[in-house]
Amino acid sequence: MRSILRRRELVADDWRYLSEVHDERGASGTVRGAALIIPLVELRADREFWLARPGPLGVRLSPVDNVEELEPDLPRLALVAAEFPGPGDGRGFSQGRILRTRLGFEGELRAVGAGVKQDLIFLMARCGFDSFELAPGQTLESALKAYTRYTVAYQPGAPLSSIMMQRH
């Protein structure tokens, strides 16, 4: 089971990606009702099926996805994962900020991908991210320290950033 950093705590990830669940459409029992993250392209392909699916549902955005497309589905979504393919790609920052400020998303906002590095955790949290699936080679313990790396911020953060910066 993968570990993630969620709201300043190291936890076992209770979510699964569609690629990790081979028989989602025909599955029964725990797989069918388990917390599942699907790509936005999959949601687009069969929206009614996925929105009617029992259990927590999350969507993974690629950097080129229009986050505003999710607006009508946000009440059903418990998690949105924004992909950071590399540390120089900042589109996930914008997606997170739009989700929190413009669209009012209050569910879990997760940063995923090779660009999720410990030195960006503080900035991602300021954009509204509250969970992090770190890139290979990054340690959760070092990423946890990133929350306190800076004591001053020059720009305002996303509305939930004060909540995310505190331990629950």
Side-chain angles (χ1 to χ4, degrees), residues 52-86:
R53 176 193 179 274
L57 182 64
V59 170
R60 182 174 176 146
L61 299 171
S62 77
V64 298
D65 288 332
N66 179 0
V67 69
E68 291 168 332
E69 231 180 272
L70 283 177
E71 187 170 18
D73 303 323
L74 287 178
R76 170 63 176 97
L77 299 177
L79 177 144
V80 175
E83 184 179 348
F84 288 82

PDB file of all heavy atoms in Angstrom, residues 52-86:
ATOM      1  N   ALA A  52     -22.837   7.389 -10.849  1.00  0.00           N
ATOM      2  CA  ALA A  52     -23.773   6.517 -10.137  1.00  0.00           C
ATOM      3  C   ALA A  52     -23.061   5.431  -9.334  1.00  0.00           C
ATOM      4  O   ALA A  52     -23.684   4.748  -8.516  1.00  0.00           O
ATOM      5  CB  ALA A  52     -24.737   5.871 -11.142  1.00  0.00           C
ATOM      6  N   ARG A  53     -21.762   5.257  -9.553  1.00  0.00           N
ATOM      7  CA  ARG A  53     -20.990   4.211  -8.890  1.00  0.00           C
ATOM      8  C   ARG A  53     -20.999   4.412  -7.373  1.00  0.00           C
ATOM      9  O   ARG A  53     -20.812   5.516  -6.886  1.00  0.00           O
ATOM     10  CB  ARG A  53     -19.553   4.280  -9.395  1.00  0.00           C
ATOM     11  CG  ARG A  53     -18.618   3.319  -8.728  1.00  0.00           C
ATOM     12  CD  ARG A  53     -17.168   3.670  -9.067  1.00  0.00           C
ATOM     13  NE  ARG A  53     -16.282   2.759  -8.417  1.00  0.00           N
ATOM     14  CZ  ARG A  53     -15.828   2.921  -7.169  1.00  0.00           C
ATOM     15  NH1 ARG A  53     -16.161   3.948  -6.455  1.00  0.00           N
ATOM     16  NH2 ARG A  53     -15.022   2.023  -6.640  1.00  0.00           N
ATOM     17  N   PRO A  54     -21.237   3.317  -6.611  1.00  0.00           N
ATOM     18  CA  PRO A  54     -21.193   3.454  -5.150  1.00  0.00           C
ATOM     19  C   PRO A  54     -19.756   3.658  -4.666  1.00  0.00           C
ATOM     20  O   PRO A  54     -18.803   3.212  -5.293  1.00  0.00           O
ATOM     21  CB  PRO A  54     -21.748   2.110  -4.654  1.00  0.00           C
ATOM     22  CG  PRO A  54     -21.519   1.157  -5.778  1.00  0.00           C
ATOM     23  CD  PRO A  54     -21.564   1.962  -7.044  1.00  0.00           C
ATOM     24  N   GLY A  55     -19.615   4.347  -3.580  1.00  0.00           N
ATOM     25  CA  GLY A  55     -18.302   4.565  -2.981  1.00  0.00           C
ATOM     26  C   GLY A  55     -17.711   5.905  -3.371  1.00  0.00           C
ATOM     27  O   GLY A  55     -18.171   6.571  -4.297  1.00  0.00           O
ATOM     28  N   PRO A  56     -16.659   6.307  -2.652  1.00  0.00           N
ATOM     29  CA  PRO A  56     -15.996   7.576  -2.942  1.00  0.00           C
ATOM     30  C   PRO A  56     -15.383   7.579  -4.345  1.00  0.00           C
ATOM     31  O   PRO A  56     -14.793   6.595  -4.778  1.00  0.00           O
ATOM     32  CB  PRO A  56     -14.908   7.661  -1.877  1.00  0.00           C
ATOM     33  CG  PRO A  56     -15.328   6.709  -0.809  1.00  0.00           C
ATOM     34  CD  PRO A  56     -16.082   5.624  -1.500  1.00  0.00           C
ATOM     35  N   LEU A  57     -15.526   8.714  -5.027  1.00  0.00           N
ATOM     36  CA  LEU A  57     -15.013   8.849  -6.388  1.00  0.00           C
ATOM     37  C   LEU A  57     -14.073  10.040  -6.468  1.00  0.00           C
ATOM     38  O   LEU A  57     -14.358  11.111  -5.931  1.00  0.00           O
ATOM     39  CB  LEU A  57     -16.172   9.032  -7.374  1.00  0.00           C
ATOM     40  CG  LEU A  57     -15.802   9.152  -8.848  1.00  0.00           C
ATOM     41  CD1 LEU A  57     -15.159   7.852  -9.357  1.00  0.00           C
ATOM     42  CD2 LEU A  57     -17.036   9.493  -9.683  1.00  0.00           C
ATOM     43  N   GLY A  58     -12.944   9.836  -7.135  1.00  0.00           N
ATOM     44  CA  GLY A  58     -11.986  10.896  -7.386  1.00  0.00           C
ATOM     45  C   GLY A  58     -11.651  10.948  -8.859  1.00  0.00           C
ATOM     46  O   GLY A  58     -11.840   9.979  -9.589  1.00  0.00           O
ATOM     47  N   VAL A  59     -11.145  12.094  -9.310  1.00  0.00           N
ATOM     48  CA  VAL A  59     -10.763  12.286 -10.707  1.00  0.00           C
ATOM     49  C   VAL A  59      -9.328  12.782 -10.754  1.00  0.00           C
ATOM     50  O   VAL A  59      -8.931  13.638  -9.966  1.00  0.00           O
ATOM     51  CB  VAL A  59     -11.706  13.295 -11.413  1.00  0.00           C
ATOM     52  CG1 VAL A  59     -11.175  13.686 -12.778  1.00  0.00           C
ATOM     53  CG2 VAL A  59     -13.101  12.716 -11.551  1.00  0.00           C
ATOM     54  N   ARG A  60      -8.570  12.227 -11.707  1.00  0.00           N
ATOM     55  CA  ARG A  60      -7.184  12.664 -11.928  1.00  0.00           C
ATOM     56  C   ARG A  60      -7.146  13.544 -13.170  1.00  0.00           C
ATOM     57  O   ARG A  60      -7.593  13.141 -14.241  1.00  0.00           O
ATOM     58  CB  ARG A  60      -6.258  11.466 -12.108  1.00  0.00           C
ATOM     59  CG  ARG A  60      -4.806  11.887 -12.290  1.00  0.00           C
ATOM     60  CD  ARG A  60      -3.886  10.695 -12.328  1.00  0.00           C
ATOM     61  NE  ARG A  60      -2.527  11.110 -12.592  1.00  0.00           N
ATOM     62  CZ  ARG A  60      -1.459  10.513 -12.086  1.00  0.00           C
ATOM     63  NH1 ARG A  60      -1.603   9.467 -11.311  1.00  0.00           N
ATOM     64  NH2 ARG A  60      -0.248  10.938 -12.380  1.00  0.00           N
ATOM     65  N   LEU A  61      -6.607  14.740 -13.005  1.00  0.00           N
ATOM     66  CA  LEU A  61      -6.477  15.698 -14.097  1.00  0.00           C
ATOM     67  C   LEU A  61      -5.081  15.635 -14.687  1.00  0.00           C
ATOM     68  O   LEU A  61      -4.097  15.593 -13.945  1.00  0.00           O
ATOM     69  CB  LEU A  61      -6.703  17.125 -13.593  1.00  0.00           C
ATOM     70  CG  LEU A  61      -8.043  17.461 -12.974  1.00  0.00           C
ATOM     71  CD1 LEU A  61      -8.001  18.845 -12.352  1.00  0.00           C
ATOM     72  CD2 LEU A  61      -9.130  17.358 -14.020  1.00  0.00           C
ATOM     73  N   SER A  62      -4.983  15.653 -15.989  1.00  0.00           N
ATOM     74  CA  SER A  62      -3.679  15.833 -16.630  1.00  0.00           C
ATOM     75  C   SER A  62      -3.446  17.340 -16.724  1.00  0.00           C
ATOM     76  O   SER A  62      -4.389  18.128 -16.575  1.00  0.00           O
ATOM     77  CB  SER A  62      -3.670  15.179 -18.014  1.00  0.00           C
ATOM     78  OG  SER A  62      -4.370  15.990 -18.933  1.00  0.00           O
ATOM     79  N   PRO A  63      -2.238  17.769 -16.976  1.00  0.00           N
ATOM     80  CA  PRO A  63      -1.963  19.202 -17.047  1.00  0.00           C
ATOM     81  C   PRO A  63      -2.771  19.939 -18.127  1.00  0.00           C
ATOM     82  O   PRO A  63      -3.029  21.120 -17.994  1.00  0.00           O
ATOM     83  CB  PRO A  63      -0.464  19.270 -17.353  1.00  0.00           C
ATOM     84  CG  PRO A  63       0.075  17.982 -16.865  1.00  0.00           C
ATOM     85  CD  PRO A  63      -1.012  16.975 -17.081  1.00  0.00           C
ATOM     86  N   VAL A  64      -3.194  19.244 -19.174  1.00  0.00           N
ATOM     87  CA  VAL A  64      -3.917  19.913 -20.258  1.00  0.00           C
ATOM     88  C   VAL A  64      -5.430  19.921 -20.063  1.00  0.00           C
ATOM     89  O   VAL A  64      -6.153  20.528 -20.837  1.00  0.00           O
ATOM     90  CB  VAL A  64      -3.576  19.293 -21.638  1.00  0.00           C
ATOM     91  CG1 VAL A  64      -2.093  19.464 -21.944  1.00  0.00           C
ATOM     92  CG2 VAL A  64      -3.982  17.834 -21.697  1.00  0.00           C
ATOM     93  N   ASP A  65      -5.931  19.267 -19.015  1.00  0.00           N
ATOM     94  CA  ASP A  65      -7.367  19.216 -18.777  1.00  0.00           C
ATOM     95  C   ASP A  65      -7.895  20.556 -18.273  1.00  0.00           C
ATOM     96  O   ASP A  65      -7.234  21.237 -17.483  1.00  0.00           O
ATOM     97  CB  ASP A  65      -7.713  18.124 -17.760  1.00  0.00           C
ATOM     98  CG  ASP A  65      -7.565  16.727 -18.320  1.00  0.00           C
ATOM     99  OD1 ASP A  65      -7.723  16.556 -19.545  1.00  0.00           O
ATOM    100  OD2 ASP A  65      -7.287  15.800 -17.537  1.00  0.00           O
ATOM    101  N   ASN A  66      -9.094  20.893 -18.731  1.00  0.00           N
ATOM    102  CA  ASN A  66      -9.773  22.102 -18.277  1.00  0.00           C
ATOM    103  C   ASN A  66     -10.488  21.789 -16.970  1.00  0.00           C
ATOM    104  O   ASN A  66     -11.510  21.114 -16.958  1.00  0.00           O
ATOM    105  CB  ASN A  66     -10.762  22.583 -19.343  1.00  0.00           C
ATOM    106  CG  ASN A  66     -11.514  23.821 -18.927  1.00  0.00           C
ATOM    107  OD1 ASN A  66     -11.327  24.353 -17.842  1.00  0.00           O
ATOM    108  ND2 ASN A  66     -12.390  24.287 -19.794  1.00  0.00           N
ATOM    109  N   VAL A  67      -9.984  22.298 -15.880  1.00  0.00           N
ATOM    110  CA  VAL A  67     -10.507  21.994 -14.548  1.00  0.00           C
ATOM    111  C   VAL A  67     -11.957  22.465 -14.395  1.00  0.00           C
ATOM    112  O   VAL A  67     -12.738  21.867 -13.664  1.00  0.00           O
ATOM    113  CB  VAL A  67      -9.586  22.580 -13.458  1.00  0.00           C
ATOM    114  CG1 VAL A  67      -9.642  24.087 -13.433  1.00  0.00           C
ATOM    115  CG2 VAL A  67      -9.916  22.017 -12.106  1.00  0.00           C
ATOM    116  N   GLU A  68     -12.326  23.499 -15.099  1.00  0.00           N
ATOM    117  CA  GLU A  68     -13.689  24.032 -14.984  1.00  0.00           C
ATOM    118  C   GLU A  68     -14.737  23.079 -15.537  1.00  0.00           C
ATOM    119  O   GLU A  68     -15.911  23.186 -15.208  1.00  0.00           O
ATOM    120  CB  GLU A  68     -13.755  25.408 -15.633  1.00  0.00           C
ATOM    121  CG  GLU A  68     -12.956  26.419 -14.823  1.00  0.00           C
ATOM    122  CD  GLU A  68     -12.736  27.727 -15.523  1.00  0.00           C
ATOM    123  OE1 GLU A  68     -12.699  27.746 -16.769  1.00  0.00           O
ATOM    124  OE2 GLU A  68     -12.580  28.730 -14.818  1.00  0.00           O
ATOM    125  N   GLU A  69     -14.309  22.111 -16.336  1.00  0.00           N
ATOM    126  CA  GLU A  69     -15.198  21.064 -16.836  1.00  0.00           C
ATOM    127  C   GLU A  69     -15.797  20.234 -15.697  1.00  0.00           C
ATOM    128  O   GLU A  69     -16.855  19.632 -15.845  1.00  0.00           O
ATOM    129  CB  GLU A  69     -14.370  20.120 -17.716  1.00  0.00           C
ATOM    130  CG  GLU A  69     -14.914  19.835 -19.056  1.00  0.00           C
ATOM    131  CD  GLU A  69     -13.983  18.896 -19.797  1.00  0.00           C
ATOM    132  OE1 GLU A  69     -13.052  19.394 -20.448  1.00  0.00           O
ATOM    133  OE2 GLU A  69     -14.206  17.671 -19.730  1.00  0.00           O
ATOM    134  N   LEU A  70     -15.109  20.199 -14.565  1.00  0.00           N
ATOM    135  CA  LEU A  70     -15.548  19.396 -13.425  1.00  0.00           C
ATOM    136  C   LEU A  70     -16.633  20.066 -12.584  1.00  0.00           C
ATOM    137  O   LEU A  70     -17.238  19.419 -11.736  1.00  0.00           O
ATOM    138  CB  LEU A  70     -14.365  19.101 -12.496  1.00  0.00           C
ATOM    139  CG  LEU A  70     -13.393  18.040 -12.935  1.00  0.00           C
ATOM    140  CD1 LEU A  70     -12.261  17.932 -11.925  1.00  0.00           C
ATOM    141  CD2 LEU A  70     -14.080  16.713 -13.110  1.00  0.00           C
ATOM    142  N   GLU A  71     -16.893  21.329 -12.816  1.00  0.00           N
ATOM    143  CA  GLU A  71     -17.796  22.079 -11.936  1.00  0.00           C
ATOM    144  C   GLU A  71     -19.120  21.377 -11.640  1.00  0.00           C
ATOM    145  O   GLU A  71     -19.501  21.255 -10.468  1.00  0.00           O
ATOM    146  CB  GLU A  71     -18.049  23.481 -12.486  1.00  0.00           C
ATOM    147  CG  GLU A  71     -18.837  24.344 -11.524  1.00  0.00           C
ATOM    148  CD  GLU A  71     -18.885  25.795 -11.950  1.00  0.00           C
ATOM    149  OE1 GLU A  71     -18.620  26.104 -13.127  1.00  0.00           O
ATOM    150  OE2 GLU A  71     -19.201  26.623 -11.080  1.00  0.00           O
ATOM    151  N   PRO A  72     -19.853  20.862 -12.631  1.00  0.00           N
ATOM    152  CA  PRO A  72     -21.133  20.228 -12.294  1.00  0.00           C
ATOM    153  C   PRO A  72     -20.986  18.916 -11.503  1.00  0.00           C
ATOM    154  O   PRO A  72     -21.925  18.498 -10.829  1.00  0.00           O
ATOM    155  CB  PRO A  72     -21.789  19.969 -13.650  1.00  0.00           C
ATOM    156  CG  PRO A  72     -20.687  19.997 -14.644  1.00  0.00           C
ATOM    157  CD  PRO A  72     -19.631  20.901 -14.071  1.00  0.00           C
ATOM    158  N   ASP A  73     -19.816  18.308 -11.549  1.00  0.00           N
ATOM    159  CA  ASP A  73     -19.598  17.025 -10.881  1.00  0.00           C
ATOM    160  C   ASP A  73     -18.917  17.149  -9.521  1.00  0.00           C
ATOM    161  O   ASP A  73     -18.809  16.157  -8.797  1.00  0.00           O
ATOM    162  CB  ASP A  73     -18.768  16.109 -11.784  1.00  0.00           C
ATOM    163  CG  ASP A  73     -19.425  15.891 -13.134  1.00  0.00           C
ATOM    164  OD1 ASP A  73     -20.671  15.803 -13.172  1.00  0.00           O
ATOM    165  OD2 ASP A  73     -18.701  15.830 -14.147  1.00  0.00           O
ATOM    166  N   LEU A  74     -18.481  18.331  -9.151  1.00  0.00           N
ATOM    167  CA  LEU A  74     -17.736  18.494  -7.898  1.00  0.00           C
ATOM    168  C   LEU A  74     -18.500  18.036  -6.656  1.00  0.00           C
ATOM    169  O   LEU A  74     -17.893  17.458  -5.749  1.00  0.00           O
ATOM    170  CB  LEU A  74     -17.259  19.938  -7.736  1.00  0.00           C
ATOM    171  CG  LEU A  74     -16.107  20.340  -8.652  1.00  0.00           C
ATOM    172  CD1 LEU A  74     -15.743  21.802  -8.448  1.00  0.00           C
ATOM    173  CD2 LEU A  74     -14.894  19.450  -8.466  1.00  0.00           C
ATOM    174  N   PRO A  75     -19.835  18.225  -6.578  1.00  0.00           N
ATOM    175  CA  PRO A  75     -20.522  17.728  -5.382  1.00  0.00           C
ATOM    176  C   PRO A  75     -20.410  16.210  -5.199  1.00  0.00           C
ATOM    177  O   PRO A  75     -20.472  15.706  -4.082  1.00  0.00           O
ATOM    178  CB  PRO A  75     -21.988  18.129  -5.621  1.00  0.00           C
ATOM    179  CG  PRO A  75     -21.901  19.311  -6.522  1.00  0.00           C
ATOM    180  CD  PRO A  75     -20.715  19.026  -7.419  1.00  0.00           C
ATOM    181  N   ARG A  76     -20.212  15.470  -6.272  1.00  0.00           N
ATOM    182  CA  ARG A  76     -20.086  14.005  -6.200  1.00  0.00           C
ATOM    183  C   ARG A  76     -18.649  13.566  -5.918  1.00  0.00           C
ATOM    184  O   ARG A  76     -18.404  12.470  -5.439  1.00  0.00           O
ATOM    185  CB  ARG A  76     -20.590  13.385  -7.517  1.00  0.00           C
ATOM    186  CG  ARG A  76     -20.305  11.904  -7.714  1.00  0.00           C
ATOM    187  CD  ARG A  76     -20.991  11.025  -6.661  1.00  0.00           C
ATOM    188  NE  ARG A  76     -20.794   9.618  -6.912  1.00  0.00           N
ATOM    189  CZ  ARG A  76     -19.861   8.872  -6.337  1.00  0.00           C
ATOM    190  NH1 ARG A  76     -19.012   9.405  -5.481  1.00  0.00           N
ATOM    191  NH2 ARG A  76     -19.767   7.586  -6.601  1.00  0.00           N
ATOM    192  N   LEU A  77     -17.679  14.416  -6.217  1.00  0.00           N
ATOM    193  CA  LEU A  77     -16.272  14.037  -6.106  1.00  0.00           C
ATOM    194  C   LEU A  77     -15.728  14.289  -4.702  1.00  0.00           C
ATOM    195  O   LEU A  77     -15.874  15.364  -4.146  1.00  0.00           O
ATOM    196  CB  LEU A  77     -15.426  14.799  -7.126  1.00  0.00           C
ATOM    197  CG  LEU A  77     -15.775  14.559  -8.594  1.00  0.00           C
ATOM    198  CD1 LEU A  77     -14.908  15.423  -9.488  1.00  0.00           C
ATOM    199  CD2 LEU A  77     -15.650  13.089  -8.953  1.00  0.00           C
ATOM    200  N   ALA A  78     -15.078  13.277  -4.159  1.00  0.00           N
ATOM    201  CA  ALA A  78     -14.444  13.396  -2.850  1.00  0.00           C
ATOM    202  C   ALA A  78     -12.981  13.808  -2.981  1.00  0.00           C
ATOM    203  O   ALA A  78     -12.382  14.274  -2.008  1.00  0.00           O
ATOM    204  CB  ALA A  78     -14.539  12.070  -2.103  1.00  0.00           C
ATOM    205  N   LEU A  79     -12.404  13.635  -4.169  1.00  0.00           N
ATOM    206  CA  LEU A  79     -10.982  13.916  -4.378  1.00  0.00           C
ATOM    207  C   LEU A  79     -10.759  14.343  -5.826  1.00  0.00           C
ATOM    208  O   LEU A  79     -11.392  13.816  -6.737  1.00  0.00           O
ATOM    209  CB  LEU A  79     -10.164  12.651  -4.090  1.00  0.00           C
ATOM    210  CG  LEU A  79      -8.656  12.714  -4.329  1.00  0.00           C
ATOM    211  CD1 LEU A  79      -7.938  11.882  -3.287  1.00  0.00           C
ATOM    212  CD2 LEU A  79      -8.284  12.235  -5.706  1.00  0.00           C
ATOM    213  N   VAL A  80      -9.859  15.307  -6.002  1.00  0.00           N
ATOM    214  CA  VAL A  80      -9.351  15.655  -7.328  1.00  0.00           C
ATOM    215  C   VAL A  80      -7.832  15.607  -7.222  1.00  0.00           C
ATOM    216  O   VAL A  80      -7.241  16.206  -6.317  1.00  0.00           O
ATOM    217  CB  VAL A  80      -9.813  17.041  -7.806  1.00  0.00           C
ATOM    218  CG1 VAL A  80      -9.149  17.408  -9.129  1.00  0.00           C
ATOM    219  CG2 VAL A  80     -11.328  17.105  -7.941  1.00  0.00           C
ATOM    220  N   ALA A  81      -7.213  14.850  -8.117  1.00  0.00           N
ATOM    221  CA  ALA A  81      -5.754  14.723  -8.162  1.00  0.00           C
ATOM    222  C   ALA A  81      -5.245  15.464  -9.388  1.00  0.00           C
ATOM    223  O   ALA A  81      -5.688  15.188 -10.499  1.00  0.00           O
ATOM    224  CB  ALA A  81      -5.348  13.253  -8.219  1.00  0.00           C
ATOM    225  N   ALA A  82      -4.362  16.419  -9.178  1.00  0.00           N
ATOM    226  CA  ALA A  82      -3.766  17.174 -10.286  1.00  0.00           C
ATOM    227  C   ALA A  82      -2.358  16.649 -10.519  1.00  0.00           C
ATOM    228  O   ALA A  82      -1.565  16.517  -9.584  1.00  0.00           O
ATOM    229  CB  ALA A  82      -3.737  18.661  -9.974  1.00  0.00           C
ATOM    230  N   GLU A  83      -2.070  16.367 -11.767  1.00  0.00           N
ATOM    231  CA  GLU A  83      -0.772  15.795 -12.127  1.00  0.00           C
ATOM    232  C   GLU A  83       0.266  16.887 -12.354  1.00  0.00           C
ATOM    233  O   GLU A  83       0.020  17.859 -13.063  1.00  0.00           O
ATOM    234  CB  GLU A  83      -0.914  14.957 -13.391  1.00  0.00           C
ATOM    235  CG  GLU A  83       0.350  14.257 -13.788  1.00  0.00           C
ATOM    236  CD  GLU A  83       0.170  13.420 -15.045  1.00  0.00           C
ATOM    237  OE1 GLU A  83      -0.972  13.195 -15.473  1.00  0.00           O
ATOM    238  OE2 GLU A  83       1.200  13.008 -15.581  1.00  0.00           O
ATOM    239  N   PHE A  84       1.429  16.677 -11.744  1.00  0.00           N
ATOM    240  CA  PHE A  84       2.601  17.526 -11.941  1.00  0.00           C
ATOM    241  C   PHE A  84       3.655  16.647 -12.615  1.00  0.00           C
ATOM    242  O   PHE A  84       4.377  15.922 -11.941  1.00  0.00           O
ATOM    243  CB  PHE A  84       3.127  18.046 -10.590  1.00  0.00           C
ATOM    244  CG  PHE A  84       2.253  19.075  -9.949  1.00  0.00           C
ATOM    245  CD1 PHE A  84       1.135  18.707  -9.215  1.00  0.00           C
ATOM    246  CD2 PHE A  84       2.547  20.422 -10.082  1.00  0.00           C
ATOM    247  CE1 PHE A  84       0.324  19.646  -8.615  1.00  0.00           C
ATOM    248  CE2 PHE A  84       1.745  21.386  -9.486  1.00  0.00           C
ATOM    249  CZ  PHE A  84       0.621  20.999  -8.753  1.00  0.00           C
ATOM    250  N   PRO A  85       3.741  16.671 -13.958  1.00  0.00           N
ATOM    251  CA  PRO A  85       4.648  15.765 -14.659  1.00  0.00           C
ATOM    252  C   PRO A  85       6.127  16.057 -14.414  1.00  0.00           C
ATOM    253  O   PRO A  85       6.959  15.167 -14.543  1.00  0.00           O
ATOM    254  CB  PRO A  85       4.291  15.948 -16.123  1.00  0.00           C
ATOM    255  CG  PRO A  85       3.601  17.248 -16.202  1.00  0.00           C
ATOM    256  CD  PRO A  85       2.973  17.495 -14.876  1.00  0.00           C
ATOM    257  N   GLY A  86       6.452  17.276 -14.052  1.00  0.00           N
ATOM    258  CA  GLY A  86       7.829  17.641 -13.763  1.00  0.00           C
ATOM    259  C   GLY A  86       7.843  18.887 -12.905  1.00  0.00           C
ATOM    260  O   GLY A  86       6.858  19.627 -12.855  1.00  0.00           O
TER     261      GLY A  86
END
